[in-house]
Every structure is written in structure tokens, then in C-alpha cells.
Amino acid sequence: MKLHIFNPEHDIALAANLSNFTAPHAGRRLRHDLGFLPAIWAEDGYVLVEDIEDAQRGYSRLMHKTFDGFVDKHMLAHLDIDSVEPWGWDLALRSYLLRYGVKAVPSEKEIAVIRDLSHRKHAVRLLGKLQDKGTVGKSWCLDSLYDVMGILFDHRHLVMKAPWSSSGRGIRFVDDEIDQFLSSWVNKTIERQGNIIAEEYNNKVKDFGMEFESDGKGGVRYLGLSLFHTQNGAYTGNILATEEEKLEMISRYLSRERLDSVKEKIRTTLGALYKGKYKGPFGVDLMIVRGDENVNFLLNPCVEINLRRTMGHVALDLSKHCPSGSIMNIKYSEDKYRMSISYKNQ
């Protein structure tokens, strides 16, 4: 049987790269409150949660039905588990599962490969391969503060990113100059993670994503578009709609031919990169950018690569069960994360 796991602290755990890792409070809270999420797409097997009764309530509230496969860590050693499908693989999750009797985990060497593939340097390289006359965006993987200063001299406005970090964390915006605080952050990031990513700042109109799945043999299947919302860099929700409706929304800015071209280039480029190295879901975040004189629109075809399941994947699965045009929301209040669906008539 397969074991499904929602471990949203995955990106932070990758950055730490420790077998014994304690996630920040927000990550632990999110995992506890929304641990039931894999039940949305789990066709068989078990879903690991921290509180079975709480997971049953959360799932029933969202989906208006029950799920019988919730298990907690104390039950794992007594289950026949032959495969594990987490949000994302990292050393901390591997160690945790082994501790509770689950043997179907990748080796440390295999996780090291996944961690390297999750480094933002691969987004830098993919962006370069996707560039053409209808695209915009530049990014660099840099090894020193001196290199950062050189890029800043030429481009003035930059977005700085740690090679491994979660949404909204490990990101700084730079305008014209780097002060002492930012210099210290850049140096510490390079010291801890080896380098730092610099991106040209773009005049964003809209974020969106493309969701995929790698078969690990060089093939990549396109799953659909993700139209999501953020607030202060943090994810807040997704539009639930048919693929045709989402294409119609994006085609107000970009032609379908351009979207299809980028999609196919991503499939072939990352299919070759992941062959023999990674099997599972991943997503690519893109950005619509305001063009010259604010009258036309350009595409930044690769802002991020998320080598894991994403909320976009969750939205694609939820779209099969919800009326088109609904909104999937995640809100935090009273020390608890809640997922809800807002319907068009509400």
C-alpha cells in the first residue's frame, strides 16, 4: 500500500539538509492542520496525519464526505507500506519515516540528487533556454557579494533569493544599493548555501504556474495551469476552473501559441534533466510582465521551479470536485490554518 504525506516544511528542510530537523512553528502548524490534503487525490493507501479525528473533520468539512485511510505515526510500523508519496523528499522526512518503521524510502544519495535539482540554479538555466523575442527576465547564480554588486551596477533593481528557501522566505528586494544589513544577509547566505541567486526585477502584472509530472525516464506529462494568489509573497489561494477557462483568462495577456511553446520547451528540457533522477510532480512558476509604455505584455517563462507537489496540483485535483470559478483559500487565524472553497454564488 502507498503512504501519502503532506510535509509543507519540505523547502525549509531542504535548506537545512539535516536528518534531525525541527521545522518552524508555522510549518508544523500547517502540517498539523492541513495534513488531510492528500486524501483529495489519494486513490488508495494511507494518509499520514498527526491527529486522525482532526483530519477527518477537516476533510469532511472541505469535501463533504469521509476518508477511511488516515493513520498516525504510531500505526506505521504495523502497516504494509511499499511506497511513499510525500509533498517532497528531504533528509528529515526520510529519517522520520525510518524511525517509525517505514522502510520504503530513498537513499541519502538519492535525496542529495533531489536537493541539487531543487537548487534555484536550475531555474536560472531554464530561464536562459526559454528566452526568445517575446519573453523577458534575467537571472544569475552568483558566488560573492562582489558579483552581486557588479550585477546591481548594471541593473539597479534586483530580487535576491537564497538557493533553497520556502515561499516568501529567503527573498530580498534591492533598489540601487545594498546596505549593511543586506550585505550581511548576502554573505551569510553564500556562506551557508554556497551561492546566491539574483534576478532582474520585473513590472509584474500576474503570477501563474504550469503543473507537471516526471516519469523519471525522460518523459514529462503536462497536468494544467495554476492561477494562484499571493499576499506579501505568501500563497493564499487558487482559482478552480476548467483548463479552457484558465486559458481564456491568461490569453487576455498572452497568446495560446506562446503558452504551448513554453510548455513544450519545459517538458523537453526538464524531461532530459530529470531522467534517471526524479520521478514525481513538479511545477514551474511564470510571470506576466507589463511591456513598453504599459500597453503590451511579455512573459517571464521561469520564475521558480518547485520540484515537489504544489498547491497548483491540489487545485487541479479539487477542480474535479468543485464548480468552475470557485476559489480555493488558505487562511490563518486563531493559531490555525483552514482551507475552504468559496463558490461563485457566495
Side-chain angles (χ1 to χ4, degrees), residues 52-70:
I52 293 176
E53 290 186 3
D54 190 63
Q56 289 172 335
R57 284 192 296 269
Y59 179 78
S60 297
R61 189 183 302 116
L62 184 70
M63 302 298 291
H64 306 291
K65 58 182 180 180
T66 60
F67 180 79
D68 297 327
F70 292 122

Side-chain angles (χ1 to χ4, degrees), residues 179-217:
D179 59 20
Q180 185 175 354
F181 176 80
L182 196 53
S183 296
S184 176
W185 179 79
V186 169
N187 283 325
K188 287 180 180 178
T189 299
I190 293 173
E191 180 181 350
R192 292 169 181 167
Q193 299 193 15
N195 34 46
I196 198 164
I197 306 300
E199 296 178 359
E200 178 184 53
Y201 178 83
N202 294 141
N203 188 6
K204 180 176 71 175
V205 174
K206 189 177 186 62
D207 290 309
F208 70 104
M210 290 183 176
E211 310 302 340
F212 302 88
E213 185 171 31
S214 165
D215 64 8
K217 301 176 181 178

Side-chain angles (χ1 to χ4, degrees), residues 1 3 5 46 48 71-84 89 92-106:
M1 296 287 280
L3 178 67
I5 305 171
Y46 309 106
L48 178 64
V71 299
D72 64 26
K73 61 186 180 183
H74 302 294
M75 301 166 66
L76 293 178
H78 306 289
L79 302 175
D80 183 16
I81 296 169
D82 57 15
S83 65
V84 180
W89 276 114
L93 179 61
R94 178 183 185 274
S95 177
Y96 177 90
L97 291 174
L98 287 173
R99 193 179 312 132
Y100 286 98
V102 178
K103 306 299 184 183
V105 299

Side-chain angles (χ1 to χ4, degrees), residues 62-314:
L62 184 70
M63 302 298 291
H64 306 291
K65 58 182 180 180
T66 60
F67 180 79
D68 297 327
F70 292 122
V71 299
D72 64 26
K73 61 186 180 183
H74 302 294
M75 301 166 66
L76 293 178
H78 306 289
L79 302 175
D80 183 16
I81 296 169
D82 57 15
S83 65
V84 180
E85 189 174 292
W87 193 254
W89 276 114
D90 50 68
L91 286 178
L93 179 61
R94 178 183 185 274
S95 177
Y96 177 90
L97 291 174
L98 287 173
R99 193 179 312 132
Y100 286 98
V102 178
K103 306 299 184 183
V105 299
S107 67
E108 292 188 3
K109 183 177 180 181
E110 288 170 322
I111 289 180
V113 171
I114 291 173
R115 183 174 189 265
D116 178 73
L117 291 173
S118 302
H119 191 295
R120 283 189 166 110
K121 64 186 177 184
H122 294 290
V124 173
R125 294 168 184 170
L126 180 60
L127 176 61
K129 293 182 178 181
L130 296 177
Q131 290 286 8
D132 61 31
K133 63 181 180 180
T135 61
V136 68
K138 296 179 180 179
S139 58
W140 304 265
C141 184
L142 305 173
D143 298 326
S144 70
L145 178 61
Y146 178 82
D147 293 336
V148 172
M149 298 295 287
I151 296 295
L152 183 61
F153 181 81
D154 292 330
H155 294 273
R156 313 312 305 170
H157 305 291
L158 298 175
V159 182
M160 307 299 302
K161 297 180 178 180
W164 293 280
S165 66
S166 63
S167 300
R169 293 174 176 264
I171 298 175
R172 302 289 188 275
F173 294 89
V174 184
D175 290 323
D176 294 322
E177 62 182 19
I178 296 181
D179 59 20
Q180 185 175 354
F181 176 80
L182 196 53
S183 296
S184 176
W185 179 79
V186 169
N187 283 325
K188 287 180 180 178
T189 299
I190 293 173
E191 180 181 350
R192 292 169 181 167
Q193 299 193 15
N195 34 46
I196 198 164
I197 306 300
E199 296 178 359
E200 178 184 53
Y201 178 83
N202 294 141
N203 188 6
K204 180 176 71 175
V205 174
K206 189 177 186 62
D207 290 309
F208 70 104
M210 290 183 176
E211 310 302 340
F212 302 88
E213 185 171 31
S214 165
D215 64 8
K217 301 176 181 178
V220 168
R221 182 164 66 102
Y222 174 68
L223 301 178
L225 287 172
S226 169
L227 305 188
F228 57 87
H229 305 291
T230 60
Q231 185 173 1
N232 299 323
Y235 172 89
T236 59
N238 253 84
I239 294 174
L240 306 181
T242 67
E243 195 66 12
E244 181 61 30
E245 288 170 327
K246 289 182 288 186
L247 279 168
E248 182 65 28
M249 296 176 200
I250 294 297
S251 64
R252 300 170 189 171
Y253 308 98
L254 304 167
S255 71
R256 297 192 182 197
E257 291 76 15
R258 171 153 298 282
L259 292 174
D260 285 340
S261 175
V262 169
K263 174 182 68 179
E264 291 307 310
K265 288 179 181 177
I266 291 173
R267 287 181 64 246
T268 55
T269 303
L270 295 186
L273 177 63
Y274 297 158
K275 184 177 180 180
K277 299 177 180 177
Y278 177 75
K279 178 182 179 182
F282 69 93
V284 176
D285 291 344
L286 304 89
M287 181 191 297
I288 298 169
V289 177
R290 199 173 301 280
D292 297 336
E293 299 178 0
N294 295 331
V295 295
N296 65 319
F297 302 98
L298 299 170
L299 176 67
N300 183 324
C302 180
V303 179
E304 297 277 1
I305 303 173
N306 298 301
L307 196 69
R308 52 169 171 77
R309 193 174 293 273
T310 71
M311 285 298 175
H313 290 90
V314 178

